[in-house]
Amino acid sequence: MQLELGDETDLHGGLTALVITIVELLIEALEHEAVRRMESNDLSETEIERLGQRLNALEDELDRLKEQTEIDDEVTGLKQQLDHVVHGALDEVAHRHHSVQRADRSSSNDQ
Amino acid sequence: MTNSPSAPDDETHRRSSTVETKTEQRYLYCLVDTSATSETEVPAKGVDDVSVRLVSHREVGAVVQDCGHPLETERLDQLKQWAMSHQRVVDKAGETFGTPLPVRFNTVLEGGDGAVSDWLASRYSQIHGELATLAGTWEYRLHLLWNSTPFEEAVTEDDDELRRLIERKQQADSGTAFLLEKKYEKRLRSLLQERRDELRSKLWRTAESIAVEVAEQPATATLEQQPSPESDKPIGCLAVRVPADAESTLGQRLDEFVDETGAAVRFTGPWPPYTFVSDL
């Protein structure tokens, strides 16, 4: 499991793409939480409207930044890589948990 | 040692070959059951146009060629050529002896024919057992492709939640509409994921009704000559091991699957059962 930050000769571009990817993921998490609060009636209509406008502005700004730096494809690629990293980590944890359970069972059988 | 493959025009390869040609080695293509036929030869040329031979122990045979070193190159065209030569030999071995037990590309055994024979003897039970298990069956790859656009258009009209979200969005101010749009996208993604899962499960059940074994594979684009329409995206892939006489039934069942679901399936094969052999 590893992330590739582009060509060795373009570390600046790779790092920029990584930072933007992380910010994008953060905004997505904020949007997810905002929708949850909107639907659970935790916020007034005014608060929902203001929150939506702020997040919309943030997303627009990030899109502009990606367009300026021409790293849209890199960000998409990094997000896919992160998906694989997360899935790989989850598989590993699940496998380890399974192995531990098996080890537990065999040690209890030994007793 | 005879018939060593000629070194490709590659500096790295030339360097390694001068060091390693002193060692006698055999490039291994596959293992076969020699009891099914009276043939004792594989009529094929292997890597770098070198003849291949059969080294046997009791009822199992190894299809090999002499070589001085493992195949190494950084040239993609050279690698493709070797892979095609490898596949051609395995195909020919399959035609001659029945379903072969394939081994990984570029498997090289140290030592001469005696060493190969000893290796066969040391693993005879396992190899013989695997060949018996796989006999008369071949592997096919089923690539599941799906154009989600018609489904998206249909659920946009049919799904109550999506319809309600569209109505709310139309009456909302811009900030609220933005959040409702996010909720709409999430609901749509979830419906698409459900449909993809349904299609994959249905294809699995279709394959399972005919196949001896089924294994899930990563969904990748097919490497076939005829390209799929741009809108058809790969969403799944199965490897299936099927009896040799079941190919037309498999084709019929897949046609029914396509008619019922609107998805597309590209299937390739028959291949030696690469996915279903254990490590030797």
Side-chain angles (χ1 to χ4, degrees), chain A residues 31-49:
Chain A
E31 286 169 356
H32 181 81
E33 179 59 15
V35 169
R36 192 193 67 75
R37 289 194 185 185
M38 172 179 74
E39 293 308 284
S40 58
N41 297 322
D42 283 355
L43 304 170
S44 69
E45 283 188 15
T46 315
E47 285 172 326
I48 292 170
E49 180 58 26

Side-chain angles (χ1 to χ4, degrees), chain A residues 31-32 39 49 52 56 59, chain B residues 173 175-176 182-183 186:
Chain A
E31 286 169 356
H32 181 81
E39 293 308 284
E49 180 58 26
N56 196 357
E59 197 177 275
Chain B
D173 292 331
T176 310
K182 293 294 161 192
K183 192 173 182 192
K186 190 182 168 199

Side-chain angles (χ1 to χ4, degrees), chain B residues 12-52:
Chain B
T12 312
H13 197 156
R14 272 203 298 275
R15 270 203 310 276
S16 66
S17 65
T18 46
V19 176
E20 294 179 30
T21 40
K22 290 171 190 164
T23 315
E24 206 174 13
Q25 295 179 324
R26 295 291 179 268
Y27 182 92
L28 178 62
Y29 288 94
C30 59
L31 302 160
V32 293
D33 179 355
T34 55
S35 67
T37 170
S38 56
E39 288 289 341
T40 54
E41 289 180 5
V42 183
K45 296 279 189 185
V47 168
D48 293 333
D49 221 22
V50 174
S51 297
V52 298

Side-chain angles (χ1 to χ4, degrees), chain A residues 25-111:
Chain A
L25 289 171
L26 193 62
I27 291 174
E28 281 174 16
L30 288 172
E31 286 169 356
H32 181 81
E33 179 59 15
V35 169
R36 192 193 67 75
R37 289 194 185 185
M38 172 179 74
E39 293 308 284
S40 58
N41 297 322
D42 283 355
L43 304 170
S44 69
E45 283 188 15
T46 315
E47 285 172 326
I48 292 170
E49 180 58 26
R50 197 166 56 227
L51 192 55
Q53 283 181 3
R54 293 262 171 89
L55 289 170
N56 196 357
L58 265 177
E59 197 177 275
D60 285 348
E61 189 54 39
L62 197 66
D63 285 345
R64 258 195 301 278
L65 202 56
K66 282 196 287 186
E67 209 176 305
Q68 274 170 13
T69 48
E70 296 178 343
I71 53 168
D72 206 5
D73 289 346
E74 284 87 342
V75 170
T76 306
L78 270 174
K79 282 173 87 174
Q80 281 167 352
Q81 284 186 50
L82 278 169
D83 264 355
H84 290 308
V85 169
V86 170
H87 284 138
L90 286 173
D91 284 349
E92 205 169 291
V93 169
H95 179 72
R96 211 175 282 162
H97 179 64
H98 186 61
S99 305
V100 169
Q101 279 188 331
R102 282 174 52 183
D104 283 349
R105 266 204 298 277
S106 56
S107 62
S108 59
N109 289 341
D110 292 343
Q111 286 164 3

